[in-house]
Amino acid sequence: FRPCPIATVARRESRSHAGDSSCASLAMAEVEETLKRIQAHKGVIGTIVVNAEGIPIRTTLDNSTTVQYAGLLHQLTMKARSTVRDIDPQNDLTFLRIRSKKHEIMVAPDKEYLLIVIQNPCE
Amino acid sequence: MEIVYVYVKKRSEFGRQCNFSDRPAEINVDIQPDPGLTANFIERDPIDAGIQCASDMSEHEVNTERFEMENAGVNHLEGGWPKDVNPLEMEQTIRFRKKVEKDENYVYTIIQLGSLMEHCIKQNNAINIYEEYFEEEETADVADEPPSAKTINVFRDPNVIKRTATHLSWHPDGSKKLAVAYSSLEFQRSSKDMSYDSYIWDLENPNKPELVLRPSSPLVSLEYNPKDSHILVGGCYNGQIAYWDTRKGGQPVELSTVEFSHRDPVYGTIWLQSKTGTDCFSASTDGQVLWWDIRKLTEPTETLVMDISRKGVLENALGAIALEFEPTMPTKFMVGTEQGVVITCNRKAKTPAEKIVGTFSGHHGPIYALARNPFFPKNFLTVGDWTARIWSEDSKESSIMWTKYHMAYLTDGCWSTIRPAVFFTTKMDGTLDVWDFLFKQNNPSLNVKVCDEPLFSLRLQDNGRFIGCGSKRGTVTLLEVSSGICTLQRNEKNLAMAMFERETKREKILEARHREMRLKERTKAEGKEEDVKVETEEETPEELLARVQKEFFEIIEAEIRRKERAAKLSKPQAKEITDENEDEDEDPYKEE
């Protein structure tokens, strides 16, 4: 009797699929791990990833706070970047740190995304 | 000699148009110099002429127009989402987010940014870059800067007819609001169109008052309840008391009945310390001090007549203008009267006669302000006529310290809440004086011209830094004093205490000496009466009055001449101005 051909085909298919998505899922896993690692550091209150339109993609804070931070910091980062480039067009903004009485807001800008971390520095 | 020019024109040429034509220049008159006149002039050689090689500059002031601001709220909706995603739908937003997360660029970017971010986070955790080293070393207070005061804000009376800002009261929590009572204190001078409103101002918004209080009669005094910051009590021009709750709006919650209220404007209202926090008392120039419970304003809970002969007769009573109450001494209070006498009273005395404990007289005119020193309650400040005086409760005959007689009438005063040796006074010429008697005793340590019209009221904020001054035209100016005036100096309390004690002792010694001298004179007079009938010229009252008037004017004339001489030596231009001012100041007080 012939063995069930569907199962083997299915296995083959799943193997190929696993091949494609493996790098994607690996990468995604790495992203997850990076964000988790950042959140786990001492003093970190929250992490937000914002895209170019100001939409929060990933966040560990509640929605209203996230939306507030995303909107405000996005504008500020744009302004800071344009300031740096106005002074010297070859220059560009690499990092933005805002230290306030209560905590420190760190913004890592990129062409399309923004990584925002709020940390309570050890004092 | 008539100068006439005759010319002839044909009648047919009248009305003809003018034909203008060019012609070269023509000398009409040529006046040659007359050499004979040189005899009148002397040649001067060399000549001093001033030249400055500087550009011409002119001064110009520009003031931006006041713009009105109003706070309004805006409602935001979430935006930035692409058109096909509805931000309210959870599914769509989650799907969008998942899609972004699968993007390769996203993954790469996050990993890059993540490592950068981690570096900074670890930096933060490793060392605190804003650590304060050597925190214990306190930088020595460099108080070399001279005292100064700066105007922060000006609140003007929005009505067309301006009224005097007669009383100010700061909000008890945080002092972000100021309640100002407006009324016209000039007798029968208030017009029909004058508004009765008083305002509560928010310091951030000087254009529009935060709350308008609408009493039935203009308010002369207004006080916040220190226990409940929503309640205010106000004394009206017609003698009634009213109280407001700011949560309920601008109409008074309750008004006292006219029959049981004062008969004259209520110049002082103060809240008392009580368990319920609803007790207050008020004083007016009709000679009464009334205690009220604001829950029942139909009649006062207690009355006291300011009769120093202690008989309680209203006709002999002195009109009360200033009221003083210190929460640390709840049974005692003081009243400053129109006749220049300060009356100390004890509320808990058994009979009305015993309620009036003592009197202090020394002012020539009404006492407009009365305040106890917050650090040394035994000493209090009175402001009236042209001086400010400091008294001690132990010395009843006279004040222990007093300022010189000023050129303008003093209208209000108060102690500083931070420094025991500093007090503030306002005058009718629109200036605010800051006195520091540990530093300088003859003159105020700072004299600030606040505005051109007379200042009527003064109130210091609890932190001692901000002062509100109310003027005759309803302008309340908020001033900030320099830090030297509102920070406690080293050893100040001890020095102030030593000064008070020393002055009190001096007064006591003088008192004792006077008593001795009087006793000696009396015994001498008694001895003489039996031997010789002393012929004393009995002066009739008219002669006495004439003699006193003549002496008074002589003194004034001598003073004017002395000032003129002093002014001539310093500034010749200012002389006329000060002279005019002096003349104007004299007239209202001639009759006193």
Side-chain angles (χ1 to χ4, degrees), chain A residues 27 30 37 41-42 55-58 95 97 99 104 106 108-110 112-113 115 117 119 122-123, chain B residues 80-81 97 100-101 103 105-107 109-111 113 116-118 120-125 128 130:
Chain A
E30 208 179 319
R37 210 178 44 231
H41 271 291
K42 178 172 154 203
I55 302 173
I57 307 291
R58 274 293 286 268
F95 204 78
R97 265 172 140 164
R99 193 139 190 169
E104 178 161 348
M106 296 181 276
D110 182 72
E112 276 186 43
Y113 299 97
L115 175 61
V117 171
Q119 188 193 19
C122 62
E123 258 159 288
Chain B
W81 295 95
R97 286 201 173 103
V100 173
E101 282 179 358
D103 185 16
N105 192 15
Y106 171 82
V107 167
T109 312
I110 292 295
I111 295 177
L113 296 179
L116 181 60
M117 184 63 80
E118 262 193 288
C120 291
I121 292 179
K122 284 182 189 158
Q123 255 184 0
N124 265 344
N125 281 334
N128 177 7
Y130 294 108

Side-chain angles (χ1 to χ4, degrees), chain B residues 36-54:
Chain B
L37 289 175
T38 51
N40 294 340
F41 295 89
I42 306 173
E43 196 168 299
R44 189 166 150 198
D45 181 19
I47 302 180
D48 278 321
I51 300 179
Q52 174 146 294
C53 182

Side-chain angles (χ1 to χ4, degrees), chain B residues 177-290:
Chain B
K177 299 195 214 176
L178 187 59
V180 186
Y182 294 91
S183 60
S184 174
L185 287 179
E186 305 195 18
F187 187 58
Q188 294 187 342
R189 204 80 73 85
S190 51
S191 65
K192 281 193 215 60
D193 303 328
M194 190 181 89
S195 139
Y196 290 163
D197 301 336
S198 291
Y199 302 113
I200 296 184
W201 295 92
D202 185 353
L203 293 189
E204 316 279 308
N205 186 2
N207 292 325
K208 207 161 89 88
E210 194 193 333
L211 183 60
V212 180
L213 302 173
R214 299 178 205 279
S216 50
S217 151
L219 285 181
V220 181
S221 72
L222 185 59
E223 277 287 329
Y224 265 105
N225 186 342
K227 291 239 175 74
D228 181 358
S229 55
H230 296 286
I231 309 272
L232 294 113
V233 74
C236 297
Y237 193 70
N238 65 357
Q240 286 178 298
I241 307 275
Y243 92 93
W244 279 266
D245 188 331
T246 50
R247 297 167 287 208
K248 293 203 186 126
Q251 293 291 336
V253 177
E254 209 185 317
L255 205 56
S256 64
T257 46
V258 180
E259 296 86 13
F260 293 108
S261 309
H262 293 279
R263 306 255 181 283
D264 261 356
V266 180
Y267 282 100
T269 45
I270 298 192
W271 289 92
L272 289 167
Q273 289 276 49
S274 70
K275 279 180 243 142
T276 54
T278 52
D279 289 324
C280 62
F281 69 131
S282 62
S284 154
T285 38
D286 64 354
Q288 290 178 299
V289 176
L290 303 174

Side-chain angles (χ1 to χ4, degrees), chain B residues 459-577:
Chain B
R459 198 62 181 263
L460 191 65
Q461 208 194 34
D462 287 332
N463 64 7
R465 206 177 176 105
F466 294 102
I467 309 176
C469 310
S471 80
K472 190 162 169 187
R473 291 184 56 78
T475 311
V476 175
T477 313
L478 188 63
L479 293 144
E480 180 185 351
V481 286
S482 60
S483 50
I485 298 179
C486 57
T487 35
L488 194 58
Q489 308 285 341
R490 274 178 307 158
N491 221 12
E492 188 171 338
K493 274 202 199 158
N494 295 337
L495 288 172
M497 187 159 69
M499 171 156 267
F500 283 136
E501 282 178 11
R502 194 177 65 217
E503 298 297 325
T504 316
K505 207 165 90 169
R506 182 195 63 146
E507 279 304 317
K508 281 217 187 99
I509 294 175
L510 283 174
E511 241 177 90
R513 186 101 179 79
H514 279 149
R515 231 176 289 147
E516 267 181 41
M517 294 202 329
R518 257 181 275 138
L519 207 57
K520 257 194 238 156
E521 272 184 34
R522 223 179 298 148
T523 51
K524 234 194 276 173
E526 281 172 10
K528 269 202 187 150
E529 257 178 20
E530 296 157 357
D531 320 340
V532 172
K533 245 220 167 130
V534 180
E535 266 186 55
T536 45
E537 259 189 56
E538 283 283 327
E539 282 180 331
T540 59
E542 290 90 19
E543 282 175 28
L544 184 63
L545 189 64
R547 184 169 64 86
V548 167
Q549 257 189 330
K550 200 173 63 149
E551 277 177 20
F552 175 70
F553 285 125
E554 273 170 19
I555 297 175
I556 297 284
E557 297 286 314
E559 185 69 24
I560 293 179
R561 259 178 270 128
R562 191 179 65 81
K563 280 223 161 356
E564 275 179 27
R565 249 176 285 136
K568 256 195 213 136
L569 292 166
S570 47
K571 271 191 204 157
Q573 307 107 328
K575 181 182 90 114
E576 284 96 351
I577 305 168

